[in-house]
């Protein structure tokens, strides 16, 4: 068999395998946990509710309801279940900026972000600055003192492209232009994506190609 014939058969096989691994599928990933801001009586889903965070300080600031996994987290779960979030002196977080980083889900084709948030008062104390993978979002919400709300955001084509380019979806939060006490219960990303072929499968296919090419080279000598 000529090497060109062997290579063309191998190429067809690779394309067929790539086709089977690129099936679209649903995903649903959570940062933080759905436990009512880590304290009883604070709504974490559905209609807006009122939460009185039980911590010390003015208006219940410096509340820390995190479990050990949230305290140790570096993916954004470290700012959930605290009040006020990303506001040193008025909460346990040492920085006024934070990133919420979701695990890679393959190539995203559609996605919705849902956030359980509390006590947003942007017009009174200034909005926090937010971007999704570098694309600016407006989170200038006026929910009111200690009111909790769950919001959903449909990712735009540009935001999906930016997340795919980075290999992960990421929310960047900056509190430096605001003096608003805020809180987060959890962040959830759901949607559909195409799976990325496993590196081991790519390596196997590459080895097969090299082997067949070598065989063809020997037979054609
Ligand atoms: Ca507030
Ligand atoms: Ca929580």
């Amino acid at each position: 068999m000529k090497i060109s014939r062997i290579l063309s058969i191998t190429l067809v096989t690779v394309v067929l395998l790539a086709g089977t691994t690129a099936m679209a599928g649903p995903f649903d990933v959570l940062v933080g946990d759905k436990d009512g801001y880590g304290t009883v009586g604070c709504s974490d889903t559905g209609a807006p509710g009122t939460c009185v965070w039980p911590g010390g300080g003015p208006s219940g600031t410096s509340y820390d309801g995190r479990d050990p996994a949230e305290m140790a987290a570096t993916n954004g779960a470290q700012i959930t279940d605290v009040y006020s979030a990303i506001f040193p002196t008025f909460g346990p977080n040492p920085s006024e900026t934070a990133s919420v980083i979701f695990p890679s889900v393959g190539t995203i084709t559609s996605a919705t972000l849902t956030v359980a948030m509390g006590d947003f008062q942007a017009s009174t104390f200034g909005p926090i600055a937010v971007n999704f993978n570098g694309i600016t979002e407006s989170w200038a919400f006026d929910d009111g003192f200690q009111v909790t709300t769950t919001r959903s955001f449909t990712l735009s084509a540009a935001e999906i492209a930016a997340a795919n380019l980075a290999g992960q979806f990421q929310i960047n939060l900056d509190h430096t232009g605001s003096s608003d006490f805020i809180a987060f219960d959890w962040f959830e990303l759901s949607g559909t994506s195409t799976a990325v072929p496993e590196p081991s499968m790519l390596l196997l296919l590459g080895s097969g190609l090299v082997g067949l090419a070598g065989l063809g080279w020997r037979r054609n000598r």
Side-chain angles (χ1 to χ4, degrees):
M1 194 182 288
K2 288 192 171 174
I3 186 166
S4 58
R5 172 96 174 126
I6 293 169
L7 282 174
S8 67
I9 290 169
T10 310
L11 187 63
V12 168
T13 310
V14 169
V15 169
L16 284 173
L17 280 170
T20 56
T21 55
M23 294 287 285
F27 64 84
D28 193 330
V29 284
L30 186 70
V31 172
D33 47 27
K34 296 183 175 181
D35 61 352
Y37 295 85
T39 186
V40 176
C42 291
S43 172
D44 64 350
T45 56
T50 301
C51 178
V52 180
W53 284 272
S59 309
T61 56
S62 303
Y63 165 69
D64 190 347
R66 297 173 298 175
D67 63 22
E70 286 173 302
M71 288 185 186
T74 56
N75 67 339
Q78 73 274 16
I79 68 164
T80 57
D81 295 353
V82 301
Y83 181 78
S84 176
I86 49 175
F87 199 166
T89 309
F90 298 104
N93 299 127
S95 173
E96 289 195 86
T97 61
S99 294
V100 180
I101 303 166
F102 290 86
S104 176
V105 291
T107 301
I108 297 170
T109 51
S110 67
T112 300
L113 171 71
T114 307
V115 182
M117 55 178 67
D119 204 3
F120 274 63
Q121 298 167 282
S123 65
T124 306
F125 300 109
I128 61 167
V130 180
N131 71 69
F132 296 168
N133 289 94
I135 298 175
T136 301
E137 281 279 316
S138 173
W139 279 18
F141 302 124
D142 284 306
D143 297 329
F145 181 55
Q146 296 183 330
V147 175
T148 60
T149 306
T150 301
R151 282 195 172 81
S152 289
F153 308 87
T154 302
L155 268 60
S156 68
E159 288 166 345
I160 290 172
N164 286 335
L165 185 65
Q168 65 191 15
F169 177 65
Q170 179 170 333
I171 310 165
N172 300 305
L173 305 165
D174 188 336
H175 195 274
T176 53
S178 171
S179 58
D180 194 8
F181 297 155
I182 57 169
F184 299 104
D185 186 357
W186 44 264
F187 303 85
E188 186 170 26
L189 187 70
S190 62
T192 56
S193 67
T194 55
V196 176
E198 293 284 329
S200 57
M201 177 174 281
L202 288 175
L203 190 65
L204 196 67
L205 288 170
S207 304
L209 267 176
V210 170
L212 283 170
L215 188 69
W217 179 76
R218 278 197 298 277
R219 284 186 178 171
N220 281 296
R221 286 189 75 184

